Amino acid sequence: MANEKPAVRTPATPDRPRRRDIVITALLGLLVLLVLLVGGVLAPGAWLAASLAFSALAFVYFLTAVTRVSPRSAVQMSRPVHASELESADVMLEKIAVPVLLIGPGGRIERANPAARAFLALGAEGGLLSNSLRQPRVLEAVSAALRGERGAVVEYASLAPIESHVRAFVEPLRMPVAGPMPWRAMLVLADETSSKRAERMRADFLANASHELRTPLASLSGFIDTLRGPARDDEAARDRFLSIMREQTDRMRRLIDDLLSLSRVEMNEHLPPSGEADLGAIARDVVDSLRPMADARAITLELSLPDEPARITGDRDQVYEVVENLVENAIKYSPEGAVVAIEALDNCARDVAEHAPERLAPQSARLLLAGPPFDPRQRYGVLRVRDHGAGIDRRYLPRLSERFYRVDGQKSGPTAGTGLGLAIVKHIITRHRGGFSVESAPDTGSTFSVFLPKPAEGSKAASPAQPVAAASAPEAEAE
Ligand code: ADP
């Protein structure tokens, strides 16, 4: 089946009456009228019979003209679709963002459009569907379609590596090919992850936001009561309480901003970004914008950048948010007068990208909080943020990227954290198919690293829909 294009026959549809048929019918009708007029005058009996016969003839002719199939359409019905027509179908499939596959005997992928290739991470050879899609109910529906049974719609969810919800449409297609297996299965995969996530996140958002907002709100209403009652005439107390109220409202605003940011990121997490950004330039912009915050605590920000732009595949605004969160944390959790080092690296292999080659301290703990599947050819742009703060005990490291998690007893300078910053970082990095790691040693400090895939050298748009070469894997896995 390698490059063989299956022939497709167009369905039979009766032609519409052509203009010639209508003219002939109209002429016959006129003849009937004429016969009736003349016959009525000359010989009523014989002419009436003749006119009835003509009317019947006209009626039958018109009926056959309406319902018959013309010789041209009969040829269309039986001839296989020309190769160029099939190619134009390929051109359309190539542009469609919905994954579409044609599965042949034995569950082999015969054709797959670029969306399907990307969605199922298919290699050059499609191989067996069961190797790329481990969903027994979908495979069963495909097997049924390959036996010529009815099509089916199957919903499935997968949780790893990224949660996704898909509705699979399976339809049998009969091909005019010789042999005992004329059936193919057309498989269309509709990604419904965004809508499912939206549903769940709406519920989560309400639960988390109301829980986290309750504390500052309770404190605000307490201060309002105090100011209206016992502290009504106490000017010093009023000023102190108003400044605490200000902090609480700032905290509520930060919480809402972070929750919204997190929900935005989670919505699109399963769709990798397609843009490009320069990690070094982003680091420079973040350092410039956070310098006033660092200066307020006499913290020195040291920036080290590669000579060339560190190009990565990514959404600039989201990568900015990642770097900003990490540098902000480093400033928040460092003592006054400390140094925070921010380093961008280009073109790193995965092992160098994950952690710096030298350890922070002999006893430091290292953990990968998020990472893409291993690909030895992939190179990465890396950003590391090293602080000299209190560090984090190894037992807390796995919980760092949980929503609302804060390490007990951690001092965070004047601004209280929301516990959402590292969750946002993790989700953005996961969306970018990058990695996120931490190394920390109590009393020494922490290094947070993120690595983002570099665009492929000479990268170009996805290849067009092509027939997939048959793999040499054993037959009949999906059947
Ligand atoms: P927050 O808004 O509380 O900083 P994050 O999600 O950014 O939320 O961080 C989660 C927790 O991880 C923080 O509350 C803090 O306890 C700990 N943490 C994050 N960054 C650092 C750091 N650089 N040094 C020490 N602890 C950190």
Side-chain angles (χ1 to χ4, degrees):
M1 269 329 284
N3 283 322
E4 182 193 322
K5 300 198 170 184
V8 179
R9 287 166 201 271
T10 50
T13 48
D15 268 9
R16 283 191 299 175
R18 283 177 292 168
R19 200 182 305 160
R20 198 191 61 196
D21 298 325
I22 293 169
V23 171
I24 291 176
T25 314
L27 282 177
L28 279 171
L30 268 178
L31 205 62
V32 171
L33 264 181
L34 214 69
V35 166
L36 276 175
L37 275 177
V38 178
V41 176
L42 296 177
W47 286 108
L48 188 63
S51 64
L52 276 175
F54 272 123
S55 316
L57 197 62
F59 183 62
V60 168
Y61 184 86
F62 186 71
L63 267 188
T64 41
V66 169
T67 56
R68 81 181 156 176
V69 177
S70 73
R72 205 195 55 181
S73 67
V75 170
Q76 270 185 347
M77 273 173 61
S78 60
R79 80 167 171 78
V81 170
H82 195 269
S84 63
E85 288 169 282
L86 207 61
E87 263 155 31
S88 61
D90 274 354
V91 170
M92 271 168 53
L93 277 184
E94 185 197 323
K95 304 283 176 210
I96 293 176
V98 178
V100 183
L101 300 108
L102 187 72
I103 313 298
R108 290 223 168 102
I109 301 171
E110 287 186 353
R111 305 175 85 83
N113 69 347
R117 289 170 174 281
F119 193 72
L120 296 179
L122 296 178
E125 296 203 341
L128 292 172
L129 177 67
S130 53
N131 288 343
S132 316
L133 186 68
R134 297 183 190 280
Q135 294 297 333
R137 284 166 50 236
V138 179
L139 297 176
E140 269 165 32
V142 166
S143 296
L146 288 172
R147 292 193 297 270
E149 292 169 21
R150 278 163 56 125
V153 180
V154 180
E155 279 185 54
Y156 69 85
S158 66
L159 297 174
I162 290 167
E163 183 185 339
S164 57
H165 297 264
V166 178
R167 193 184 290 257
F169 297 85
V170 183
E171 273 302 320
L173 287 182
R174 191 184 174 87
M175 296 285 164
V177 287
M181 313 278 261
W183 293 99
R184 299 289 181 274
M186 191 174 82
L187 175 61
V188 179
L189 300 171
D191 187 355
E192 298 187 338
T193 312
S194 302
S195 55
K196 294 271 181 204
R197 282 231 174 107
E199 262 170 47
R200 205 183 51 211
M201 281 171 61
R202 219 178 9 250
D204 281 3
F205 176 84
L206 281 176
N208 289 333
S210 50
H211 176 77
E212 286 291 320
L213 289 171
R214 197 173 291 141
T215 318
L217 261 181
S219 135
L220 276 178
S221 74
F223 281 122
I224 290 169
D225 288 346
T226 316
L227 285 172
R228 292 169 78 191
R232 182 190 291 266
D233 301 317
D234 183 343
E235 213 163 295
R238 200 171 55 215
D239 281 353
R240 208 174 66 250
F241 292 161
L242 282 174
S243 91
I244 298 173
M245 288 165 77
R246 174 84 225 196
E247 272 170 31
Q248 299 291 1
T249 49
D250 282 350
R251 175 168 158 66
M252 290 201 292
R253 188 180 41 74
R254 279 200 306 278
L255 251 169
I256 289 167
D257 286 351
D258 280 358
L259 277 168
L260 287 174
S261 180
L262 187 59
S263 75
R264 259 196 312 268
V265 177
E266 281 190 326
M267 290 272 238
N268 290 327
E269 195 175 335
H270 64 295
L271 301 171
S274 54
E276 276 187 25
D278 174 4
L279 201 49
I282 292 174
R284 195 183 313 110
D285 291 350
V286 169
V287 166
D288 287 347
S289 80
L290 291 181
R291 216 176 277 287
M293 179 183 175
D295 288 346
R297 306 194 57 228
I299 285 172
T300 308
L301 298 182
E302 282 179 0
L303 179 64
S304 149
L305 300 178
D307 297 334
E308 298 290 318
R311 275 174 64 227
I312 48 119
T313 304
D315 173 328
R316 192 211 171 263
D317 291 347
Q318 287 196 340
V319 177
Y320 186 98
E321 201 172 343
V322 164
V323 182
E324 190 181 41
N325 270 321
L326 296 181
V327 178
E328 220 176 79
N329 275 355
I331 297 172
K332 268 190 330 199
Y333 298 106
S334 287
E336 286 197 7
V339 171
V340 169
I342 300 108
E343 183 183 25
L345 303 162
D346 191 26
N347 206 20
C348 296
R350 163 78 181 248
D351 51 349
V352 178
E354 237 172 71
H355 296 289
E358 320 81 49
R359 296 193 85 95
L360 269 184
Q363 308 304 327
S364 67
R366 292 176 152 186
L367 187 73
L368 187 67
L369 294 165
F374 188 73
D375 175 358
R377 288 161 308 168
Q378 182 64 57
R379 309 291 289 182
Y380 297 94
V382 178
L383 185 108
R384 290 197 213 291
V385 181
R386 157 95 167 97
D387 67 56
H388 296 82
I392 305 160
D393 194 286
R394 65 171 62 229
R395 74 196 133 128
Y396 301 130
L397 295 185
R399 301 203 56 193
L400 281 186
S401 56
E402 280 175 25
R403 290 169 184 213
F404 300 111
Y405 180 75
R406 300 173 197 107
V407 176
D408 270 349
Q410 189 84 263
K411 290 209 183 72
S412 65
T415 346
T418 60
L420 290 171
L422 295 182
I424 293 172
V425 169
K426 181 178 167 179
H427 284 287
I428 293 178
I429 294 296
T430 306
R431 177 185 176 217
H432 282 68
R433 310 297 187 254
F436 175 32
S437 68
V438 56
E439 176 175 1
S440 196
D443 303 326
T444 304
S446 313
T447 300
F448 285 85
S449 303
V450 289
F451 52 97
L452 294 155
K454 290 189 67 60
E457 278 310 322
S459 55
K460 51 180 188 299
S463 59
Q466 288 162 352
V468 172
S472 55
E475 285 264 352
E477 204 162 302
E479 281 199 22

